[in-house]
Amino acid sequence: MLNLKACIFDLDGVIVDTARHHFAAWKKLADELVVPFTEEDNHRLKGVSRVDSLEYILQKGDLVLDSATKLRLMDRKNMLYLNLAKGTSPGDVLPGIVPLMDEMAGLNVSIGLGSSSKNAHMILDKLNLTSRFDTIVDGNNITLSKPDPEVFLKAAQAMSVTPQQCLVFEDAQSGVEAALAGGFQVVGVGHGLEDAHVNYGSLKGLTLEAILKQLALA
Ligand code: B16
Ligand code: MG
């Protein structure tokens, strides 16, 4: 991949470990609804929007609710999540992210965010990372949730690059599928993301140069 122009990062699970807060909040809500909710369920919900995550839980519990109740439950989950995430600080940026962003900036590679979360701006502010992004596309800007590629296509468009000129960093199966569907090169972060072009357990100590070398061999 010689013509790299931009990198697009997922937020939860790639830049910061807020995925555990999403899990804890959904688990509490599911417990209140007496619906079983496991780590395996949570794994499937990574990258999935708030509304689609709720629908998954309701379906699992065979619950049919009116839209006002669903809105109330989503608000409750978000309140639980915000309460857990409120202490997020720059020290919570996952290892490897800041050096990678420094390297990208030095190479004039644009940096975008492609997150399903409606809380992305708030979390990036708490991490002190907002100013590093050329574009931020999040759950407030999209109509279709991952695995639809909309979030990444919008980010690429905002940076005036084609998907073929972009690398996407993702920790979720739904996000890897979204990026592949959009025609992006994908770096999987974490385990079990075999469909990504390259895959790392963590970004700690990685350089963009090393990733590009491995992509060329993949
Ligand atoms: P919110 P990402 C996703 O963020 C999370 O992985 C997922 O667990 C969450 O349900 C979704 O955002 C919506 O988040 O409720 O904050 O709008 O991984 O795409 O950065
Ligand atoms: Mg994620």
Side-chain angles (χ1 to χ4, degrees):
M1 199 190 176
L2 293 172
N3 198 16
L4 181 73
K5 294 263 199 269
C7 290
I8 303 175
F9 289 87
D10 170 61
L11 178 65
D12 296 309
V14 171
I15 291 179
V16 59
D17 187 18
T18 36
R20 72 200 154 98
H21 299 324
H22 283 294
F23 173 59
W26 282 126
K27 172 85 182 120
K28 182 142 187 12
L29 194 86
D31 285 351
E32 288 169 7
L33 295 168
V34 203
V35 176
F37 189 72
T38 62
E39 289 269 2
E40 162 65 25
D41 292 317
N42 184 59
H43 192 66
R44 293 179 59 171
L45 293 186
K46 280 185 184 170
V48 175
S49 70
R50 202 180 304 170
V51 62
D52 289 348
S53 300
L54 178 66
E55 292 294 353
Y56 173 91
I57 291 171
L58 295 182
Q59 209 174 357
K60 213 184 161 202
D62 266 330
L63 294 172
V64 179
L65 302 175
D66 59 63
S67 42
T69 309
K70 287 183 193 174
L71 280 176
R72 192 177 53 73
L73 291 176
M74 284 192 285
D75 279 352
R76 167 131 183 88
K77 184 270 173 178
N78 198 45
M79 201 200 69
L80 292 165
Y81 170 75
L82 290 177
N83 201 34
L84 292 165
K86 70 176 181 236
T88 303
S89 71
D92 293 317
V93 178
L94 287 173
I97 291 291
V98 169
L100 269 175
M101 288 184 171
D102 285 342
E103 189 184 358
M104 287 164 193
L107 294 168
N108 276 327
V109 170
S110 301
I111 300 178
L113 188 88
S115 167
S116 304
S117 176
K118 293 187 170 172
N119 295 299
H121 277 274
M122 183 268 297
I123 296 289
L124 287 180
D125 282 349
K126 283 183 181 290
L127 297 173
N128 230 347
L129 287 180
T130 305
S131 63
R132 288 183 175 261
F133 286 87
D134 295 288
T135 189
I136 294 173
V137 181
D138 69 8
N140 298 295
N141 311 119
I142 52 173
T143 50
L144 299 163
S145 175
K146 299 169 186 175
D148 189 279
E150 184 184 11
V151 70
F152 297 129
L153 291 173
K154 279 202 162 168
Q157 197 180 24
M159 295 185 286
S160 305
V161 297
T162 66
Q164 292 72 28
Q165 296 169 324
C166 279
L167 262 188
V168 168
F169 291 75
E170 253 296 347
D171 73 311
Q173 182 59 29
S174 62
V176 170
E177 283 172 28
L180 291 174
F184 295 85
Q185 297 276 312
V186 192
V187 178
V189 184
H191 302 285
L193 300 168
E194 283 85 16
D195 298 338
H197 292 95
V198 288
N199 210 338
Y200 301 98
S202 141
L203 297 177
K204 186 176 178 183
L206 262 188
T207 61
L208 186 58
E209 199 189 334
I211 295 171
L212 292 177
K213 261 192 199 150
Q214 203 179 330
L215 268 174
L217 297 174

